[in-house]
Amino acid sequence: PVQLLKTKPVPGRSGTSQRKPREPQIARSLIKEVFSYFVKMPVTREAFKIVEKCSEKYFKQLSSDLEAYTRHAGRKTVEMADVEMLMRRQGLVTDKMPLNVLIERHLPMEYRRLLIPIAVSGNRVIP
């Protein structure tokens, strides 16, 4: 009689993947582009790796602070007030330097239009 061949199970493998989910990361090219814009000189690979790690830690801390402000306010959505509070606590926004001035100074026009409300004819406000 012909016997069916059975496959032997491979030890240590299960039906599901054993990989840990990866955290999202900021694109290296974006960090390099922004950093190069402000530094205006060549940067070694070692120095750039340190800048990359610092950027990652900064954004993790920024995110957790925004989350804490939002939860403290009893909301589930981060709002502009939370971002402004964070920037005020970091010393970026002051009474002499409001958030709108920072936006106008440092962001391109397409982002300014999204963030700063503009009054147009007919008493309509575009976002």
Side-chain angles (χ1 to χ4, degrees):
V2 178
Q3 293 181 351
L4 296 175
L5 297 174
K6 293 184 179 180
T7 59
K8 294 180 182 178
V10 178
R13 288 215 168 193
S14 64
T16 60
S17 176
Q18 303 233 348
R19 287 186 182 175
K20 293 181 184 177
R22 289 178 44 190
E23 290 184 13
Q25 295 180 336
I26 299 171
R28 290 177 129 180
S29 59
L30 177 63
I31 294 172
K32 189 171 186 174
E33 183 181 333
V34 170
F35 187 68
S36 299
Y37 174 80
F38 286 107
V39 96
K40 294 183 174 84
M41 62 179 59
V43 180
T44 65
R45 284 187 183 182
E46 295 81 25
F48 180 69
K49 285 181 182 179
I50 293 170
V51 168
E52 195 173 26
K53 284 182 184 179
C54 291
S55 299
E56 192 174 315
K57 287 182 181 184
Y58 173 76
F59 281 106
K60 280 183 183 179
Q61 184 65 47
L62 184 89
S63 302
S64 65
D65 288 348
L66 283 172
E67 184 180 358
Y69 295 158
T70 304
R71 286 191 183 185
H72 181 72
R75 289 182 271 106
K76 292 186 178 183
T77 304
V78 176
E79 293 182 357
M80 186 74 149
D82 301 320
V83 175
E84 189 168 357
M85 169 75 78
L86 178 67
M87 293 179 80
R88 190 171 290 279
R89 296 216 40 198
Q90 290 178 340
L92 298 171
V93 172
T94 61
D95 292 335
K96 292 182 180 180
M97 180 66 66
L99 183 59
N100 287 351
V101 173
L102 283 176
I103 290 171
E104 289 173 0
R105 236 184 234 177
H106 298 288
L107 294 180
M109 184 59 81
E110 57 267 14
Y111 294 123
R112 283 187 240 167
R113 287 186 183 138
L114 291 172
L115 296 171
I116 300 175
I118 301 171
V120 295
S121 65
N123 286 336
R124 290 184 329 171
V125 176
I126 297 177

XYZ file of all heavy atoms in Angstrom, residues 23 26 31 50-65:
157
model
N 7.878 50.853 14.568
C 7.375 52.202 14.806
C 7.546 53.016 13.534
O 8.535 52.861 12.818
C 8.172 52.878 15.923
C 7.921 52.315 17.283
C 8.665 53.097 18.360
O 9.170 54.205 18.068
O 8.741 52.591 19.476
N 10.366 59.132 10.808
C 10.444 60.280 9.915
C 11.446 59.936 8.825
O 12.507 59.369 9.107
C 10.893 61.533 10.684
C 9.893 61.847 11.782
C 11.046 62.718 9.749
C 10.354 62.930 12.711
N 14.652 64.676 7.168
C 15.532 65.182 8.236
C 16.787 65.788 7.631
O 17.213 66.876 8.013
C 15.892 64.057 9.224
C 14.647 63.585 9.969
C 16.946 64.522 10.214
C 14.868 62.359 10.820
N 23.534 61.145 14.547
C 23.196 61.719 15.851
C 22.013 62.676 15.719
O 21.090 62.658 16.537
C 24.420 62.422 16.478
C 25.487 61.378 16.816
C 24.030 63.221 17.708
C 26.814 61.960 17.214
N 22.022 63.493 14.682
C 20.902 64.412 14.429
C 19.620 63.620 14.210
O 18.554 63.976 14.723
C 21.201 65.324 13.211
C 19.967 66.061 12.761
C 22.321 66.284 13.540
N 19.721 62.521 13.492
C 18.565 61.675 13.220
C 17.995 61.087 14.516
O 16.780 61.115 14.748
C 18.977 60.553 12.267
C 17.847 59.823 11.640
C 18.346 58.835 10.581
O 19.497 58.375 10.664
O 17.556 58.538 9.685
N 18.862 60.594 15.395
C 18.408 60.047 16.687
C 17.768 61.132 17.543
O 16.734 60.911 18.172
C 19.573 59.414 17.442
C 19.993 58.082 16.907
C 21.124 57.505 17.730
C 21.610 56.197 17.137
N 22.723 55.640 17.912
N 18.390 62.303 17.567
C 17.844 63.411 18.354
C 16.471 63.831 17.823
O 15.556 64.106 18.607
C 18.795 64.602 18.350
S 20.315 64.315 19.255
N 16.325 63.874 16.509
C 15.038 64.239 15.906
C 13.969 63.236 16.283
O 12.841 63.610 16.623
C 15.161 64.305 14.386
O 16.084 65.273 13.996
N 14.314 61.966 16.232
C 13.362 60.921 16.577
C 12.914 61.045 18.036
O 11.725 60.995 18.338
C 14.003 59.557 16.334
C 13.036 58.413 16.389
C 13.707 57.117 15.984
O 14.444 57.109 14.987
O 13.478 56.123 16.691
N 13.872 61.258 18.935
C 13.532 61.413 20.359
C 12.705 62.667 20.591
O 11.766 62.667 21.385
C 14.796 61.451 21.210
C 15.450 60.103 21.328
C 16.669 60.149 22.215
C 17.299 58.766 22.280
N 18.420 58.720 23.203
N 13.035 63.747 19.887
C 12.300 64.994 20.034
C 10.836 64.813 19.640
O 9.922 65.228 20.359
C 12.947 66.099 19.195
C 12.138 67.369 19.167
C 12.120 68.228 20.263
C 11.365 67.690 18.063
C 11.366 69.383 20.252
C 10.609 68.846 18.042
C 10.619 69.688 19.133
O 9.850 70.830 19.118
N 10.595 64.164 18.499
C 9.217 63.992 18.036
C 8.437 63.009 18.897
O 7.232 63.155 19.063
C 9.177 63.609 16.557
C 9.375 64.798 15.658
C 10.564 64.985 14.985
C 8.380 65.744 15.519
C 10.751 66.091 14.176
C 8.553 66.860 14.717
C 9.743 67.032 14.041
N 9.103 62.015 19.468
C 8.426 61.121 20.408
C 7.979 61.903 21.640
O 6.849 61.748 22.107
C 9.346 59.980 20.823
C 9.435 58.874 19.822
C 10.295 57.750 20.338
C 10.436 56.662 19.300
N 11.290 55.567 19.780
N 8.867 62.743 22.167
C 8.523 63.546 23.338
C 7.425 64.548 23.008
O 6.482 64.737 23.779
C 9.763 64.278 23.863
C 9.535 65.057 25.126
C 9.197 64.154 26.294
O 9.856 63.158 26.517
N 8.162 64.500 27.032
N 7.523 65.170 21.854
C 6.516 66.124 21.402
C 5.145 65.457 21.324
O 4.153 65.994 21.809
C 6.929 66.665 20.025
C 6.070 67.735 19.406
C 6.568 69.092 19.865
C 6.158 67.648 17.898
N 5.105 64.261 20.759
C 3.844 63.537 20.619
C 3.253 63.166 21.971
O 2.048 63.306 22.198
C 4.046 62.267 19.794
O 4.551 62.592 18.539
N 4.089 62.697 22.879
C 3.566 62.310 24.191
C 3.090 63.532 24.975
O 2.091 63.459 25.703
C 4.598 61.512 24.984
O 5.715 62.292 25.287
N 3.763 64.672 24.830
C 3.309 65.904 25.495
C 1.958 66.353 24.949
O 1.057 66.711 25.707
C 4.329 67.029 25.316
C 5.581 66.828 26.140
O 5.573 65.940 27.028
O 6.566 67.546 25.904
